[in-house]
Amino acid sequence: MAIKDTPQEWQVTESVTPFEGAKTSVRTDRVVMPDGSVAGRDYQVHPGSVAVLALDEQGRVAVLSQYRHPVRHKLWEIPAGLLDVPGENPLHAAQRELYEEAHIKAGDWRVLTDLYTSPGGSDEAVRIFLARDLSEADGERFEVSEEEADMEHARVPLTELVRGVLAGELHNNCLLTGVLALSAALAGDGLDVLRPAEAPWPARPF
């Protein structure tokens, strides 16, 4: 049996949006279950995100720390951001985030992995890119504000990040998924077999 996620869409008899925020909203759907009953499902409606695992020639990953108020932690993360423009090419969004958050440009881009961050409570989909052949971006650094004004930046060996993940010291989902996926790719068939940067993404068509 092939282990592969498959798209399905169960019947929705009613859908309401009791909350709308600046970037996300909350929706309540009444969904018909396999036994014919109808159940309510509340979830966050999210535009989607991209993240970038930027790997330099020394095997180090570009990371940053940012305060995340809902969990009351300052977390080490990889550069990431929302797909602000509907239908935007996710590669372009990832290149923008790498520039804005780390002032880095990359000459080689691949898709590392795709994921749903919390499919029981949100429709957020994230594409994580692997960026290599790194260099400092041209021009002035992007002006940051709010939580981003307190960012710290570092380049950390991939092996040290894997250790921190397994020790329970690092918790950001994109960082965890990215470093473990990269570690698995390096231990397997290598990075050249990763999908191209413009590979289709059914969760967020572009």
Side-chain angles (χ1 to χ4, degrees):
M1 181 180 67
I3 303 299
K4 182 178 179 180
D5 296 338
T6 55
Q8 285 192 9
E9 188 164 351
W10 292 3
Q11 181 184 356
V12 175
T13 63
E14 182 185 16
S15 183
V16 297
T17 305
F19 170 79
E20 291 190 40
K23 299 293 185 180
T24 67
S25 59
V26 174
R27 181 176 297 161
T28 299
D29 288 346
R30 300 286 294 171
V31 185
V32 179
M33 299 289 118
D35 63 0
S37 63
V38 177
R41 293 292 179 263
D42 304 321
Y43 59 100
Q44 179 193 37
V45 179
H46 194 285
S49 306
V50 292
V52 184
L53 195 152
L55 182 70
D56 68 16
E57 294 181 353
Q58 288 76 49
R60 301 175 303 173
V61 176
V63 294
L64 52 93
S65 67
Q66 185 172 349
Y67 176 67
R68 295 301 188 182
H69 185 72
V71 296
R72 308 305 199 269
H73 271 70
K74 196 170 186 182
L75 301 178
W76 283 101
E77 308 178 353
I78 56 177
L82 297 176
L83 289 168
D84 292 313
V85 181
E88 180 180 18
N89 187 319
L91 173 60
H92 298 166
Q95 291 169 334
R96 180 183 67 243
E97 293 300 331
L98 185 61
Y99 163 72
E100 291 181 356
E101 294 195 346
H103 202 65
I104 292 172
K105 63 181 179 180
D108 184 87
W109 290 82
R110 305 287 177 110
V111 174
L112 185 55
T113 192
D114 300 325
L115 69 145
Y116 294 112
T117 57
S118 182
S122 174
D123 70 351
E124 181 183 11
V126 179
R127 168 158 282 187
I128 302 179
F129 290 90
L130 173 65
R132 293 181 291 171
D133 186 18
L134 307 182
S135 59
E136 185 171 355
D138 301 325
E140 296 182 2
R141 286 187 173 272
F142 182 77
E143 185 175 348
V144 295
S145 61
E146 299 179 349
E147 292 95 339
E148 293 182 350
D150 191 42
M151 279 183 180
E152 300 174 63
H153 295 82
R155 292 200 184 188
V156 181
L158 175 64
T159 53
E160 177 62 17
L161 294 175
V162 172
R163 185 208 63 77
V165 168
L166 299 179
E169 299 169 353
L170 299 170
H171 304 89
N172 175 264
N173 58 354
C174 289
L175 184 147
L176 268 68
T177 303
V179 300
L180 294 180
L182 177 58
S183 181
L186 290 169
D189 295 329
L191 304 183
D192 290 337
V193 302
L194 293 174
R195 287 172 291 161
E198 302 263 9
W201 188 18
R204 293 295 184 274
F206 58 96

